[in-house]
Amino acid sequence: MVVVVVVVVVAAVVVVVVILVVVIVLVVVVVVVVVVVVVVVVVVVVVVVVVVVVVVVVVLAALRGDSNKVIDLISCHLDVYSLSVIFYVMVSEEEPGVDVDYLAEFKLVQTWAFHPIRGPVHDLPTDSLPLDYFQLFFPDTLLQTFVAVTNRYANQQQALKGLDVYWKSVNLMDMRKYIYTLITFGHHQVPELKLIWSDDPYWRVPAIADVWGRQRYQKVHQ
């Protein structure tokens, strides 16, 4: 008799536990479904609102002749607050009660389409020299600008600090040598700069030392 009672009690406990587990699982499933439904509804509502606002703004802009500007503006600031500000500006002559600095981003300004050139833009012959490729990055027009700016700076410094008897105005060839020297420094380093012009063949770098003297380089670099 005792055994039967124990079996009945255990069976009842198991049934209760199973029922509780089933109820908990059902509750969790219901909660998850409700959350998913709410999220989906919110997303759908936001998308619909954004689409409606965009359509209204574009239509109003088209009526005012500013459709291209507004489309460009929307493409850069596609968020709900930004669209609300743009919409307010389009339908009202008064600015909304928002930060003026933030609102300034949405002023309609003249824009131009940018169409970058993709792929190779220079077709050098197969027998081109390394110098030809170098001049693609450092054309003479750019180096002439470097020359003019360097000489101007040297003249300004001499006007402030006095005449430098060791200085001589740079020219296009000097600037080519200077850029070449900086590039050479990148793959040929020495403990001290002066060693490049050393008489010791172990340290001397003929690729630089035979191009120009140390004093001339240092003056240009200065």
Side-chain angles (χ1 to χ4, degrees):
M1 186 67 181
V2 173
V3 173
V4 173
V5 172
V6 170
V7 171
V8 171
V9 172
V10 170
V13 171
V14 170
V15 171
V16 171
V17 170
V18 171
I19 293 174
L20 288 176
V21 170
V22 172
V23 171
I24 292 173
V25 171
L26 290 176
V27 171
V28 171
V29 170
V30 171
V31 171
V32 170
V33 171
V34 171
V35 170
V36 171
V37 171
V38 171
V39 170
V40 171
V41 171
V42 171
V43 170
V44 171
V45 171
V46 170
V47 171
V48 171
V49 170
V50 170
V51 171
V52 171
V53 171
V54 169
V55 172
V56 173
V57 169
V58 172
V59 170
L60 291 174
L63 296 176
R64 296 173 56 167
D66 292 327
S67 57
N68 292 333
K69 298 176 183 178
V70 172
I71 291 174
D72 291 340
L73 197 60
I74 290 174
S75 65
C76 297
H77 304 281
L78 191 55
D79 60 79
V80 175
Y81 181 71
S82 302
L83 289 174
S84 65
V85 175
I86 297 173
F87 178 75
Y88 191 99
V89 172
M90 293 303 302
V91 300
S92 174
E93 297 299 329
E94 298 180 0
E95 294 183 348
V98 297
D99 185 6
V100 176
D101 294 333
Y102 185 83
L103 182 61
E105 297 182 23
F106 305 100
K107 298 299 184 182
L108 300 181
V109 297
Q110 180 64 43
T111 59
W112 293 269
F114 175 65
H115 303 288
I117 300 175
R118 296 178 175 86
V121 295
H122 298 287
D123 188 15
L124 294 179
T126 55
D127 59 347
S128 298
L129 300 174
L131 179 61
D132 298 323
Y133 292 92
F134 172 82
Q135 289 180 330
L136 292 178
F137 296 93
F138 295 93
D140 286 349
T141 52
L142 177 61
L143 295 182
Q144 289 286 12
T145 301
F146 290 169
V147 168
V149 172
T150 301
N151 288 330
R152 184 188 310 153
Y153 177 77
N155 293 335
Q156 292 172 348
Q157 291 301 305
Q158 291 185 90
L160 293 174
K161 302 178 181 179
L163 181 64
D164 185 347
V165 295
Y166 297 105
W167 169 254
K168 184 176 70 173
S169 297
V170 299
N171 53 36
L172 182 60
M173 183 56 67
D174 291 328
M175 194 55 61
R176 286 176 180 168
K177 292 178 182 179
Y178 181 71
I179 300 296
Y180 160 77
T181 302
L182 294 182
I183 294 175
T184 306
F185 282 163
H187 61 82
H188 197 119
Q189 300 181 1
V190 292
E192 294 184 58
L193 181 65
K194 64 181 182 180
L195 293 176
I196 291 177
W197 289 269
S198 172
D199 293 332
D200 186 344
Y202 180 80
W203 294 111
R204 183 178 176 84
V205 183
I208 298 176
D210 294 346
V211 170
W212 57 354
R214 177 163 62 97
Q215 186 182 58
R216 179 58 175 162
Y217 162 76
Q218 289 178 324
K219 279 298 174 184
V220 175
H221 185 71
Q222 181 182 347

